[in-house]
């Protein structure tokens, strides 16, 4: 069976079809397992059209789905409703990715790391760290 035939086979019947949001985000491979998708919904990490989504909430073509998973928010628009998990090339065709690009690595602030066994910073070291970070304690 070809990839497009597989998509048609697993795709819900007509253009007005709907699917559960937890099932859909699993089917299009935004989250690895169905149980993780349901847990993310219950935890409030999934939004459909700006509203928090319960696992059984339905999605239809045109809906905007926001998923916060693995420290990153993905923003996608539903193009096609899938109820069964499909291959990655087919899954990508089921949504339009509107996620803004991640910031370059050099712009991400690094947390200060102390050598193991160095203990707590002294008052002088703490002031130097605060000066480097641009923060100042009162």
């Amino acid at each position: 069976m070809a990839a497009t035939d597989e998509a048609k086979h697993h795709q819900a019947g007509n253009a007005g079809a709907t699917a559960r949001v937890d099932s859909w985000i699993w089917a299009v491979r935004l989250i690895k397992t169905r149980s993780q998708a349901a847990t993310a919904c219950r935890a409030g990490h999934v939004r459909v059209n700006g509203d928090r989504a319960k696992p059984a909430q339905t999605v239809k073509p045109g809906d905007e789905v926001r998923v916060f998973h693995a420290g990153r928010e993905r923003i996608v628009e539903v193009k096609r409703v899938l109820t069964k998990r499909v291959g990655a090339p087919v899954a990508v065709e089921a949504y339009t990715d509107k996620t803004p690009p991640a910031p370059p690595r050099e712009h991400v602030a690094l947390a200060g790391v102390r050598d193991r066994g160095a203990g707590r910073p002294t008052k002088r070291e703490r002031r130097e760290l605060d000066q480097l970070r641009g923060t100042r304690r009162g």
Side-chain angles (χ1 to χ4, degrees):
M1 193 181 302
T4 54
D5 293 337
E6 181 181 336
K8 290 176 186 172
H9 177 69
H10 292 296
Q11 178 179 346
N14 56 17
T18 62
R20 289 173 55 115
V21 68
D22 63 340
S23 176
W24 187 82
I25 61 178
W26 164 75
V28 297
R29 299 174 171 263
L30 294 177
I31 293 185
K32 193 170 187 174
T33 67
R34 172 95 184 262
S35 64
Q36 284 179 346
T39 302
C41 291
R42 284 191 294 274
H45 300 301
V46 178
R47 293 182 175 271
V48 176
N49 296 326
D51 298 326
R52 286 178 64 166
K54 291 183 179 180
Q57 182 171 339
T58 58
V59 291
K60 60 187 180 312
D63 285 348
E64 179 188 76
V65 178
R66 291 175 178 254
V67 179
F68 187 80
H69 182 67
R72 182 170 177 224
E73 184 179 38
R74 299 280 308 268
I75 304 167
V76 296
E77 181 182 335
V78 179
K79 283 180 18 183
R80 187 168 45 201
V81 176
L82 300 175
T83 55
K84 301 284 185 183
R85 193 164 171 98
V86 293
V90 177
V92 171
E93 296 172 359
Y95 62 86
T96 305
D97 196 351
K98 295 183 174 183
T99 307
R105 282 184 106 52
E106 59 268 3
H107 290 290
V108 177
L110 297 176
V113 179
R114 291 184 57 80
D115 293 331
R116 185 167 176 83
R120 292 177 53 176
T122 64
K123 191 172 191 176
R124 180 179 183 180
E125 290 171 337
R126 193 186 70 237
R127 286 180 179 159
E128 289 172 353
L129 286 171
D130 288 344
Q131 185 177 6
L132 278 173
R133 292 183 185 138
T135 59
R136 187 167 177 186
R137 295 183 183 180

